[in-house]
Amino acid sequence: MSFVPGQPVTAVVERVEIQKLRQGENLILGFSIGGGIDQDPGQNPFSEDKSDKGIYVTRISPKGPADLAGLKIGDKIMQVNGWDMTMVTHDQARKKLTKKREDVVRLLVTRKSLEEAVKQSKGCYHKP
Amino acid sequence: MDNESTYSGYSYKSSHSRSSRKHRERRDRHRSKNRDGSIRGEKSVVIQAPGESLLDADSPREDDRDDNWGETTTVVTGTSVDSISNEDLTQLSKDSEDSSALECRRYISPALGAILGFVSLITPLAFLALPQLLWRDSLDPCGTPCEGLYISLAFKLLILLISTWALFLRPPRATLPRFFVFRCLLLALVFLFVASYWLFYGVRVLEPRETDYRGIVGYAASLVDALLFIQYLALVLLEVRHLQPAFSLKVVRSTDGVSRFYNVGHLSIQRAAVWVLDQYYSDFPVYNPALLNLPKSILTKKMSAFKVYNLGEDNSTNNSTGQSRAMIAAAARRRDNSHNEYYYEEAEVERKVRKRKARLVVAVEEAFTHIKRHQQEDAVISSPKHPREVMDPREAAQAIFAPMARAMQKYLRATRQQTYHSMESIISHLQFCITHNMTPKAFLERYLVPGPTLQYLDSNRGRQWTLVSEEPVTASLRQGHVFSLKRLDLSLIVTATPLPFLHIAEEFIDPKSHKFVMKLQSETSV
């Protein structure tokens, strides 16, 4: 998941669809995010590259909607409902996730294990 | 007996007063009786037992000084720089010399410098006086301009006198093996200069009996000016040129590895050697031969591990190398535990020293509480029944020495310093400390830390060192020069490296540009 500014980013992503849960007045998703272009990337415990200013999942409430949908802690969110999440501020990311009119958010997330799984499968395929 | 004669005290323009010159020559003669030793003489000396070898183990030697006279690669020891400067003026190389000529040569050069100085002082006055004496009647009368020149001449001569006294009439501190190039140059320059002035004067003034007295006075004034300029040149060459640091000298003592770094300017090797020795006496801790590297018990045990029997072969050379190699290989394979013993022994020694040091400190503190300074007002108050005895410092020192003597002796034995401090010296140091109101800690500072070598010297003996170098010792220092200064029991290895050339760039920081932001790391739950 190395990131060169200005170059297109290639990643293996997983599509996660989360149904928002209504709790009183709010629609919650059940996870916390960290990161953003206005934040300090060096303090991100989940990123491999410490200059990566993307949005990461920092906490997942157990049995919440995100947990049930298969989101894992440490995932980097690449897109939310089609909106790009790799070059946004923290507040913009929060806003895209908590739109009151939407019940469902479809995320494209990436994590290290995905890449490895793909590599493994590719490797197995190429072995004679 | 002072072994250290001239370093640079005898210059070309030295004293103007005959009496001080005579006094110095008398001292020279006195000094020449004590000649420095030779390299060969030193090599034949057996290393003395550790207990006896104090710092001044070098006794003055009076033999063999001419054996190594002709060596050109390594430098012969101590004849004075003055005697060789004379040699330089007469012939450049002399291979063998007998001792009587050496002694004479010692005086010739300071005498030469003195004569030259005296002559150059007298010359302007002679220039002025001779026409007056010889053909006074036919001289043109010379009024105010001449008197102005007289005044300026007088003051310039006074300044010359004072600056010569300040710069060149210093007691010499070292005897260098070869002549001092700059000084000889300047002597030659002064000689040529004065000679040419006299020549001109003789041909143009004395012969035709020149009547223009003002011209003659002007000529004498120009001579004094030129002498002042030569003195300026001497100042720059001898004193100022080597002030800007250019080389870093690393000085390592061969016996125990104590090393220091010094910065010096552009010096010749022999001058650098003198400078290094000056610093050595005040910077290096005293060399204690009793503090060996490995205790004997470990060393001997290592050595006696193998016994090799030579069963009488004829072809001994091959076998001996084969044997030694086999021995070394076997010794390497065998498991070596001596480092273990060394470690424990060292820890043990350290513990012992620390224990004794603690006892010593306590004893000294207690001893110091037994006396206090007697104030004059107390004399009235003290009761007649118990009159307190008023002591002078010496008695007070002796009185309080007794309780701490044993602890002091044990500590000195543990640190192997007992040869450096006799009971007498301890008592006099105690007396000194009491007189100056020092605390016990100040008194102990001398014994807890091995002081610089200078502290243990007696000042009336000269120090004899041999300068060993592959380059000629009058050569300037250059990168990678290595020379060493040997004494009987130790030697100092000196390596010269040039100081790096510095590129200093400038960066301007606007004081308003110091701004800070908080590092954000927020986590929002959605």
Side-chain angles (χ1 to χ4, degrees):
Chain A
M1 280 199 291
S2 61
F3 166 66
V4 176
Q7 302 298 316
V9 175
T10 313
V12 181
V13 295
E14 178 185 334
R15 198 172 291 148
V16 175
E17 190 173 306
I18 308 180
Q19 304 283 336
K20 288 193 187 178
L21 180 66
R22 185 161 286 280
Q23 257 193 7
E25 229 186 55
N26 309 323
L27 285 168
I28 61 161
L29 289 163
F31 66 98
S32 301
I33 55 167
I37 54 177
D38 55 339
Q39 306 283 312
D40 176 25
Q43 302 193 27
N44 191 341
F46 303 109
S47 60
E48 271 185 30
D49 178 12
K50 288 304 170 192
S51 61
D52 185 4
K53 294 187 174 180
I55 306 289
Y56 282 79
V57 175
T58 55
R59 195 179 54 86
I60 299 203
S61 1
K63 303 291 182 238
D67 198 13
L68 295 173
L71 196 63
K72 302 274 180 287
I73 188 173
D75 289 351
K76 176 175 174 180
I77 304 179
M78 307 296 277
Q79 271 186 18
V80 170
N81 284 345
W83 294 102
D84 170 59
M85 286 282 127
T86 56
M87 264 297 139
V88 290
T89 67
H90 189 88
D91 208 40
Q92 283 170 348
R94 182 191 58 84
K95 280 192 193 145
K96 292 288 183 285
L97 283 166
T98 52
K99 287 215 182 305
K100 289 222 162 94
R101 301 215 180 156
E102 298 168 355
D103 285 348
V104 173
V105 284
R106 295 185 177 83
L107 312 177
L108 290 182
V109 300
T110 177
R111 61 183 84 96
K112 187 92 191 310
S113 52
L114 289 177
E115 289 216 15
E116 278 169 14
V118 170
K119 267 196 210 137
Q120 256 186 7
S121 63
K122 276 211 263 182
C124 288
Y125 182 70
H126 280 290
K127 269 192 197 146
Chain B
M1 204 54 93
D2 188 18
N3 238 359
E4 301 169 359
S5 36
T6 74
Y7 168 43
S8 63
Y10 293 100
S11 77
Y12 61 103
K13 290 178 66 61
S14 28
S15 86
H16 294 265
S17 68
R18 267 209 177 110
S19 56
S20 75
R21 173 61 58 189
K22 265 199 196 135
H23 170 71
R24 202 173 309 120
E25 283 180 2
R26 225 176 284 131
R27 214 169 33 144
D28 259 352
R29 231 166 275 140
H30 199 49
R31 230 180 292 140
S32 73
K33 298 274 168 46
N34 242 342
R35 302 296 303 157
D36 300 325
S38 63
I39 299 175
R40 242 175 255 158
E42 283 172 357
K43 275 188 189 155
S44 64
V45 169
V46 176
I47 296 179
Q48 306 182 12
E52 305 166 42
S53 63
L54 283 184
L55 290 171
D56 36 279
D58 43 349
S59 51
R61 295 177 183 279
E62 299 180 58
D63 52 2
D64 289 340
R65 66 172 155 263
D66 40 299
D67 279 359
N68 296 320
W69 187 246
E71 282 196 53
T72 47
T73 51
T74 61
V75 179
V76 298
T77 59
T79 53
S80 83
V81 58
D82 305 307
S83 59
I84 308 188
S85 72
N86 181 48
E87 176 196 26
D88 178 54
L89 286 178
T90 55
Q91 301 173 25
L92 263 179
S93 60
K94 259 191 171 182
D95 272 343
S96 65
E97 203 65 35
D98 44 300
S99 43
S100 59
L102 253 180
E103 288 197 19
C104 283
R105 211 185 298 134
R106 263 193 94 134
Y107 314 126
I108 287 182
S109 183
L112 197 75
I115 291 172
L116 211 54
F118 185 68
V119 162
S120 53
L121 170 69
I122 291 298
T123 306
L125 304 175
F127 283 179
L128 293 180
L130 281 175
Q132 296 278 351
L133 294 173
L134 295 179
W135 60 91
R136 179 193 282 265
D137 317 318
S138 54
L139 281 178
D140 294 340
C142 172
T144 330
C146 266
E147 280 161 20
L149 283 172
Y150 287 156
I151 290 181
S152 83
L153 205 67
F155 275 113
K156 280 181 197 160
L157 276 177
L158 183 68
I159 291 177
L160 208 61
L161 202 74
I162 293 179
S163 60
T164 307
W165 170 81
L167 288 175
F168 303 117
L169 295 187
R170 283 176 296 195
R173 285 195 48 252
T175 309
L176 295 178
R178 293 267 168 103
F179 61 87
F180 189 1
V181 176
F182 285 147
R183 199 140 40 105
C184 293
L185 206 72
L186 287 164
L187 268 173
L189 189 66
V190 169
F191 175 70
L192 276 174
F193 177 71
V194 172
S196 63
Y197 260 70
W198 268 110
L199 193 65
F200 183 84
Y201 185 75
V203 168
R204 293 290 185 182
V205 175
L206 287 181
E207 287 277 321
R209 300 215 160 198
E210 178 70 39
T211 53
D212 179 17
Y213 194 58
R214 194 170 168 281
I216 296 177
V217 177
Y219 185 62
S222 80
L223 171 69
V224 179
D225 285 340
L227 283 178
L228 276 173
F229 286 137
I230 290 189
Q231 193 164 64
Y232 161 73
L233 186 68
L235 182 67
V236 164
L237 279 182
L238 296 180
E239 307 282 333
V240 171
R241 185 169 173 259
H242 60 79
L243 285 181
Q244 187 182 35
F247 289 97
S248 171
L249 297 180
K250 175 172 180 180
V251 186
V252 181
R253 188 156 65 182
S254 67
T255 47
D256 49 4
V258 177
S259 69
R260 295 278 185 277
F261 283 84
Y262 298 116
N263 284 358
V264 295
H266 290 278
L267 290 175
S268 62
I269 290 185
Q270 55 185 6
R271 280 174 86 190
V274 174
W275 198 89
V276 161
L277 284 178
D278 281 342
Q279 310 299 313
Y280 167 78
Y281 279 111
S282 48
D283 281 347
F284 275 64
V286 65
Y287 164 58
N288 195 344
L291 293 169
L292 298 167
N293 216 1
L294 284 179
K296 280 222 176 69
S297 55
I298 297 179
L299 278 176
T300 50
K301 197 161 170 195
K302 211 173 154 91
M303 299 294 193
S304 63
F306 272 96
K307 286 186 187 162
V308 180
Y309 295 98
N310 192 359
L311 299 178
E313 285 113 353
D314 299 329
N315 199 1
S316 54
T317 49
N318 268 346
N319 282 344
S320 64
T321 51
Q323 269 177 8
S324 55
R325 241 182 274 137
M327 227 170 76
I328 293 171
R333 277 197 297 268
R334 185 176 138 268
R335 216 180 74 176
D336 185 8
N337 272 339
S338 59
H339 60 275
N340 231 358
E341 297 169 25
Y342 174 55
Y343 168 69
Y344 284 117
E345 175 119 9
E346 210 177 70
E348 184 66 36
V349 163
E350 208 178 320
R351 213 166 52 87
K352 190 163 90 159
V353 164
R354 274 211 294 250
K355 243 196 326 190
R356 292 204 176 164
K357 176 176 162 182
R359 285 207 192 117
L360 174 66
V361 167
V362 165
V364 169
E365 296 256 357
E366 275 182 52
F368 266 67
T369 59
H370 289 170
I371 58 164
K372 76 178 181 110
R373 197 165 260 272
H374 172 69
Q375 312 292 338
Q376 284 307 106
E377 304 84 53
D378 292 349
V380 192
I381 304 174
S382 64
S383 64
K385 267 196 200 155
H386 305 280
R388 279 196 284 198
E389 192 183 302
V390 177
M391 302 183 281
D392 67 351
R394 177 97 194 149
E395 293 163 358
Q398 277 166 340
I400 63 172
F401 178 64
M404 71 163 92
R406 188 174 155 76
M408 172 72 80
Q409 190 185 41
K410 291 192 93 156
Y411 176 77
L412 289 180
R413 258 192 225 285
T415 52
R416 306 224 176 85
Q417 283 176 326
Q418 70 266 24
T419 50
Y420 295 135
H421 304 290
S422 66
M423 197 174 89
E424 184 56 40
S425 76
I426 299 179
I427 293 190
S428 49
H429 183 63
L430 191 55
Q431 172 189 345
F432 173 78
C433 291
I434 294 178
T435 317
H436 293 278
N437 288 331
M438 291 200 195
T439 59
K441 196 163 174 185
F443 162 69
L444 279 177
E445 148 297 311
R446 195 178 165 165
Y447 304 106
L448 294 179
V449 178
T453 314
L454 200 57
Q455 205 177 2
Y456 301 97
L457 289 184
D458 6 322
S459 48
N460 49 357
R461 296 193 58 175
R463 301 289 136 228
Q464 169 191 308
W465 292 84
T466 312
L467 175 58
V468 178
S469 138
E470 290 162 14
E471 319 271 336
V473 294
T474 48
S476 243
L477 278 178
R478 215 153 281 148
Q479 176 187 15
H481 271 186
V482 176
F483 61 94
S484 65
L485 290 155
K486 279 207 308 211
R487 223 181 56 178
L488 284 175
D489 48 352
L490 57 86
S491 61
L492 300 170
I493 321 285
V494 183
T495 320
T497 24
L499 289 175
F501 183 76
L502 304 167
H503 292 279
I504 300 191
E506 179 203 345
E507 182 182 335
F508 174 68
I509 296 186
D510 185 9
K512 294 208 191 86
S513 69
H514 297 294
K515 304 247 182 267
F516 293 90
V517 289
M518 290 291 289
K519 276 168 111 160
L520 297 172
Q521 204 224 351
S522 44
E523 189 185 341
T524 331
S525 49
V526 293

